[in-house]
């Protein structure tokens, strides 16, 4: 708003200056004394002067307007280029964040319950794999939160909240499965083994619900990208109005 007021003031002062220059010129050239200021030149002279003067001013005004349009066009073009690069980067980042949390992998150990004899070995491998993936998820989450927590945009805040809840659910499921697998012994009675398998089933069911978290996070990510693409479209429309050729 302040910029618009300043712009109108500048235009007003320019018009006044444009109208005042001929009088100032005549005053300087026709000055003899405070009480003796003559009109310099004939009507024809002043007509020629005003023709050249107005033509020069109009040329300057047209040039100034063209320069302003070109400046705005370049500014919007740069913003559009940055927005397109940001969308591309954001798509990759959101894909990596969501793709890193595969809840169904938490229950992969269930594939080896039939191999009771070697289950301890499979448990050790599973613990290492799960914690490696959890480390990746947590590192990604911490880095992401530093950049986006507390943003003013509602669609970003919604994604942040859902993503953070999803990460917590993933972390809880992995830690729960890890604690259970650490308790595996080489020799377990049938009753102990049955109880152990039931606990694995319970964790798997809980982890399966985590896929619902992922679905919500995915929808929030899609809404975020839609909002950013709308900004891209707005910039394209502004450039089209300024005569920018996208071909």
């Amino acid at each position: 708003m302040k910029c618009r007021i300043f712009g109108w003031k500048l235009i007003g002062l320019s018009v006044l200056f444009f109208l005042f220059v001929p009088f100032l010129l005549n005053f300087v050239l026709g000055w003899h004394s405070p009480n003796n200021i003559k009109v310099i030149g004939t009507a024809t002279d002043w007509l020629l002067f005003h023709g050249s003067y107005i033509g020069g001013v109009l040329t300057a005004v047209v040039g100034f307007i063209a320069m302003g349009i070109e400046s705005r066009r370049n500014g919007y073009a740069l913003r559009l280029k940055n927005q397109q690069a940001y969308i591309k980067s954001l798509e990759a980042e959101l894909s990596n964040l969501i793709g890193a949390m595969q809840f169904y992998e938490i229950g992969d150990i269930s594939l080896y319950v039939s191999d009771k004899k070697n289950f301890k070995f499979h448990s050790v491998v599973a613990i290492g794999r799960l914690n490696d993936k959890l480390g990746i998820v947590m590192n990604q989450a911490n880095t992401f939160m530093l950049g986006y927590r507390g943003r003013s945009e509602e669609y970003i805040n919604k994604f942040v909240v859902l993503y953070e809840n999803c990460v917590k659910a993933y972390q809880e499921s992995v830690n729960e499965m890890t604690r259970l697998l650490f308790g595996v012994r080489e020799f377990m009675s049938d009753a102990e083994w049955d109880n152990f398998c039931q606990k694995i089933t319970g964790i798997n069911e809980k982890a399966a619900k985590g896929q619902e978290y992922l679905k919500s996070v995915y929808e929030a990510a899609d809404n975020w990208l839609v909002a950013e693409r709308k900004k891209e479209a707005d910039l394209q429309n502004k450039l089209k109005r300024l005569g920018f050729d996208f071909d």
Side-chain angles (χ1 to χ4, degrees), residues 56-122:
V57 170
L58 288 178
T59 300
V61 169
V62 171
F64 180 77
I65 293 174
M67 183 176 65
I69 293 174
E70 186 64 22
S71 177
R72 290 178 62 193
R73 185 186 297 168
N74 291 338
Y76 284 134
L78 179 60
R79 288 173 58 187
L80 177 61
K81 182 179 179 181
N82 292 338
Q83 180 68 11
Q84 290 172 335
Y86 173 67
I87 291 174
K88 185 176 180 180
S89 173
L90 183 63
E91 285 177 338
E93 184 177 16
L94 295 178
S95 177
N96 289 334
L97 291 175
I98 297 172
M101 291 182 290
Q102 299 299 331
F103 281 86
Y104 65 85
E105 292 181 347
I106 296 174
D108 281 354
I109 192 65
S110 301
L111 300 173
Y112 303 101
V113 293
S114 59
D115 188 10
K116 183 178 179 181
K117 180 179 178 181
N118 299 309
F119 193 80
K120 177 68 176 178
F121 168 76
H122 295 308

Side-chain angles (χ1 to χ4, degrees), residues 31-50:
W31 170 273
H32 293 282
S33 68
N35 298 319
N36 186 12
I37 301 175
K38 296 181 179 180
V39 176
I40 301 302
T42 64
T44 302
D45 295 331
W46 279 107
L47 182 63
L48 292 173
F49 166 80
H50 279 97

Side-chain angles (χ1 to χ4, degrees), residues 217-233:
V217 173
Y218 175 81
E219 291 174 353
D222 189 55
N223 290 336
W224 184 351
L225 289 171
V226 167
E228 296 300 339
R229 291 191 182 103
K230 184 178 183 299
K231 293 180 182 179
E232 177 189 10

Side-chain angles (χ1 to χ4, degrees), residues 6-51:
F6 175 77
W8 282 112
K9 286 183 177 179
L10 182 61
I11 292 173
L13 290 173
S14 299
V15 171
L16 290 176
F17 180 75
F18 168 73
L19 296 175
F20 180 70
V21 164
F23 294 100
L24 177 63
L25 185 62
N26 185 83
F27 178 81
V28 172
L29 296 177
W31 170 273
H32 293 282
S33 68
N35 298 319
N36 186 12
I37 301 175
K38 296 181 179 180
V39 176
I40 301 302
T42 64
T44 302
D45 295 331
W46 279 107
L47 182 63
L48 292 173
F49 166 80
H50 279 97

